[in-house]
Structure formats: structure tokens, C-alpha cells
Amino acid sequence: MNLKTLMERVWESDELADLDPAARRLALRDVVTSEPGADITWVGRLADAIDGFGPLTDLMLDDGVTDILVNGPHEVWAERGGELKRAKVRFEDDEELFSLIERLAGDGGIQVDPSRPVGDVRLPDGSRMHVVLPPVAPLGPLVSIRRFPRAPLGLDDLLNAEMMSADEHELLTKLVSSRSTILISGKTGSGKTTLLNALLGLVPMSERVVLVEETPELRPASGHHVSLVARPANPEGLGEVTLADLVRNALRMRPDRIVVGEVRGAEASVALHAMATGHAGSLLTLHAGTPSEALERLALLATSDHLAEASARRWVTRSIDAVVQLERCHGRRVVAEVVQV
């Protein structure tokens, strides 16, 4: 008896699909106990495969886990406290792993298959899942899950976690309250989204914030905010909505502040123009290793929208008031420096 065989028995029971997860778990118990040689522990595995995260369920329920990395069906890694270790879980085969990917991606409204082997999706708990399938990943499906705190952390929480000093906490608070435009810079996994959420918690309730993201990750603790999420083209190449499109639309939504989850392309010039012409106090994040590199990269990205380099540099200088540089140091995410432009 194995999981695949039991799953086949489950799919034969059409009425199970109409049950809620709790009732379905009870019904799965009857299915398992009716199979000769099946152990009652299979109930949990079946329930996790149908309604949970399969073999990853325990890791996804562990608040200490910040990243889960799946390198094919038999190799799973998890990060806790900044330390990456191999987990004692595995999938039976590529089929079990792909079934989980297909279900989670479908629930998130995206399609991943050999014709579209790369995708990003937000999971029900707010985590972000990135998927790469064969043939792009020749050794098996790759899954990277970035997890976020169940409740958004405030700036005081980040201070208590020693992500910043008391002086940096005071400066960042003043920058937000004075409606300075802030660029948050850092490498992958340095805590850009975490800090951005915390800063958004300082924005007064009286101000309307429009969030523009490629994948929905921002969860401000409070305030008047609305969210716009980019959309890739469908298999026929139609229906794409880019970040630049969304920033242009955000300008028509009476925003007090505009937030761009991560600047990567032509949206840079649109955002810079908006922030230099009446939307002070906005926030951006960008992938860069130093504050100077962040400003240079922002100007370079702005030129991708047919903006001359000299003009792009002037817009950056005119628009950005401060750069917050984040780093990972011995597994901890910290504010390396705050540079006022």
C-alpha cells in the first residue's frame, strides 16, 4: 500500500470533493481503514496531500521556518534562524511533487507546465512560491517558498529583533512622517519586504496608499491601502498587465503615496516621474548591493523606457530622499546603513 494507491481510491469517491477539509479528513479515515494493510497514519498524509502542503505541511506550520527549498522530490532544505539545513522530509516521486505544485499554482490562479515552466504564486498563508519545472530544471521540479510572519511586524518589532539600531529606528520614523521618498535596497532574502511592511505601518490612516506588486506580498498592518498586482500574458500572448501599466493607473486612483514592491524594468521611469511631481512619501524596493549601486541601477532601469540617461539621473536625484540598505549578516537581516540623498 502506498500514497498513490490510496489517492486513487479517494478519487473514486466523488462525494469527498464536496466536503470541507475537516469533514473530508473524517471521511478519509473511513477510506484508509477499509484498505487491507493500510495504517491509520496514512490519514494525515492523505489530508496533507489533498488540502495541505503534502510532505511540506509540518515545515509550513513551523513559524520558525523562513525559507523552504525543494530540489526535486528527494531533497528538501529549510532555513530557521538564518541557518539552512536539510529537512527530514521527501516526496515519493516527481509525480507527487508535481501534483502539489499544480494544485497550489492553480489555487493561486496561475498555470505552470512544460510549456510555461516558470511561475510565481502567493500561497493561502501569504507565503511566496517560485516554481521551475523541467525541461528548464532538468533534474526535477524546483520549488522555493519564502515565508512571512503571520502578523506583519512593526518597526518596533524589528528594533527589538536587533534588525536596526535605536538611531536608525528614529531616523526611519522621521523619514516616513516627513513624507520622504524612500528606496529600500538589498540582495535576495535581506528583508526588503519585511521592512517595507513595517514602514507602511507608520503611514497615517488619513493617507491613501496604492500598492503595486508583481506578486502580492505586502500586508500593511493598518491604514488606507489598495493593491494592484501585475498579470503575465496568457498562453496566446494576450492579457499582460505590467508594473509600468499599474503605476500609470495608480496615478489615477488619488494616491497620497505609491508603493512599488520591487522595481525591475520600465516601471522605474513612471514611478520616478510620479514621485517627483506630487507623490512624495512613496516607497520602492530594488535589488542592489550598496546605496550608490541602488541609485545607479534605478537610473539605468529608467532608461529602459526611452528616458535619456542624463534625464534619468536627474529624476533619481530629484525623487529619492533616502536609501535604506539591508544585508544578511551571520544569518540575520540587518539595516546596514541609511543614506539621505
Side-chain angles (χ1 to χ4, degrees), residues 7-340:
M7 286 295 289
E8 290 173 351
R9 299 288 188 273
V10 170
W11 301 138
E12 293 172 358
S13 304
D14 294 337
E15 65 274 10
L16 288 177
D18 298 326
L19 302 177
D20 62 62
R24 184 158 40 238
R25 191 181 185 96
L26 291 174
L28 289 174
R29 184 183 182 92
D30 295 335
V31 172
V32 171
T33 55
S34 68
E35 294 295 325
D39 190 277
I40 196 65
T41 57
W42 284 97
V43 175
R45 292 193 62 184
L46 277 173
D48 290 341
I50 296 170
D51 295 308
F53 297 96
L56 305 179
T57 298
D58 287 344
L59 293 174
M60 292 294 292
L61 294 175
D62 186 342
D63 289 339
V65 173
T66 54
D67 287 272
I68 300 171
L69 308 173
V70 182
N71 304 336
H74 306 314
E75 186 178 332
V76 178
W77 296 74
E79 180 179 302
R80 292 184 183 84
E83 186 175 3
L84 190 63
K85 289 185 176 181
R86 188 161 180 174
K88 296 179 180 179
V89 296
R90 55 182 288 166
F91 293 81
E92 287 191 353
D93 49 32
D94 279 356
E95 184 179 350
E96 183 186 7
L97 174 54
F98 184 76
S99 294
L100 177 65
I101 293 171
E102 189 175 42
R103 175 167 62 81
L104 294 178
D107 290 345
I110 72 165
Q111 177 183 345
V112 285
D113 54 38
S115 66
R116 300 189 61 163
V118 179
D120 287 287
V121 64
R122 184 177 183 179
L123 301 179
D125 70 342
S127 300
R128 180 184 67 205
M129 181 176 77
H130 178 72
V131 177
V132 184
L133 299 180
V136 177
L139 300 182
L142 303 177
V143 179
S144 305
I145 299 176
R146 170 67 51 80
R147 304 192 63 232
F148 301 100
R150 294 182 186 276
L153 300 176
L155 206 63
D156 289 345
D157 297 317
L158 301 187
L159 174 64
N160 294 333
E162 300 182 345
M163 186 175 180
M164 66 188 67
S165 67
D167 288 343
E168 290 166 338
H169 177 280
E170 181 180 3
L171 176 56
L172 290 173
T173 301
K174 288 180 178 178
L175 288 172
V176 174
S177 63
S178 65
R179 295 185 58 81
S180 296
T181 296
I182 302 172
L183 175 61
I184 301 174
S185 167
K187 298 181 179 179
T188 300
S190 58
K192 297 188 293 296
T193 301
T194 299
L195 178 60
L196 180 52
N197 263 323
L199 295 180
L200 287 172
L202 302 176
V203 176
M205 292 284 290
S206 59
E207 296 183 18
R208 176 175 168 86
V209 180
V210 180
L211 312 175
V212 177
E213 302 177 82
E214 189 170 58
T215 302
E217 296 175 357
L218 295 173
R219 294 183 297 155
S222 61
H224 179 182
H225 60 270
V226 293
S227 180
L228 303 177
V229 180
R231 185 178 69 183
N234 64 20
E236 290 74 37
L238 304 174
E240 181 181 22
V241 181
T242 68
L243 288 178
D245 295 331
L246 294 180
V247 174
R248 291 188 185 96
N249 278 277
L251 294 171
R252 303 184 182 100
M253 298 173 65
R254 200 264 178 217
D256 291 300
R257 305 188 193 222
I258 296 175
V259 175
V260 183
E262 183 165 356
V263 179
R264 295 180 179 178
E267 67 276 1
S269 66
V270 185
L272 286 173
H273 185 270
M275 293 168 189
T277 56
H279 295 90
S282 296
L283 299 102
L284 311 171
T285 73
L286 183 141
H287 188 102
T290 66
S292 59
E293 180 184 320
L295 293 173
E296 291 174 4
R297 184 160 185 257
L298 184 59
L300 179 62
L301 290 172
T303 63
S304 67
D305 195 33
H306 309 295
L307 185 66
E309 183 177 351
S311 297
R313 292 183 180 277
R314 283 196 300 271
W315 280 115
V316 168
T317 303
R318 187 182 302 177
S319 305
I320 304 300
D321 298 308
V323 180
V324 183
Q325 185 65 38
L326 301 178
E327 292 182 359
R328 293 190 61 163
C329 182
H330 305 296
R332 292 177 52 244
R333 297 166 174 85
V334 298
V335 174
E337 56 182 324
V338 181
V339 177
Q340 293 182 269

